[in-house]
Amino acid sequence: MVKIKASKPIAKIKKGDKIKVDGKTYEVDAHYIFQDYKTTKEMIIELFDPKAKEGQGEGQIRYFNDQVEDTIKFFELKNDFVYEEKEVERIEW
């Protein structure tokens, strides 16, 4: 299970905020609803590493808004379109 260290509610994360994933700092590009299932929403936070080369250092945090701690996952962009889940220990913002 991923350890979360939050300085504010996840719903308040917005473009320009910084998020650390296992100590690596990313910047938030977008935060939006991916799927609305009526009783819950699957959310995505798009991330990028401002120090990485073009097309590298991109990722996503995905979670369900009513079960953040149990469902939060990190995905890393591989190739140009494919996000692969990456096991991480800690996410903080």
Side-chain angles (χ1 to χ4, degrees), residues 44-77:
I44 290 183
I45 300 173
E46 298 274 356
L47 305 170
F48 68 95
D49 178 355
K51 296 176 184 172
K53 293 179 184 176
E54 181 78 25
Q56 296 180 351
E58 295 180 33
Q60 294 179 337
I61 292 174
R62 300 181 190 177
Y63 66 95
F64 287 89
N65 69 330
D66 62 344
Q67 309 165 47
V68 177
E69 291 192 11
D70 293 331
T71 62
I72 195 164
K73 294 180 179 176
F74 179 74
F75 290 79
E76 200 170 50
L77 183 64

Side-chain angles (χ1 to χ4, degrees), residues 1-47:
M1 189 143 115
V2 178
K3 292 179 187 165
I4 299 171
K5 182 179 178 189
S7 61
K8 61 183 173 183
I10 196 166
K12 302 275 186 193
I13 292 174
K14 63 187 181 324
K15 184 175 179 130
D17 286 349
K18 305 284 191 249
I19 294 181
K20 282 188 179 180
V21 179
D22 284 347
K24 182 176 180 177
T25 302
Y26 291 90
E27 190 171 319
V28 175
D29 190 37
H31 189 178
Y32 57 89
I33 298 170
F34 181 61
Q35 288 277 101
D36 188 342
Y37 296 102
K38 306 253 190 256
T39 58
T40 187
K41 292 176 177 60
E42 186 175 359
M43 306 296 293
I44 290 183
I45 300 173
E46 298 274 356
L47 305 170

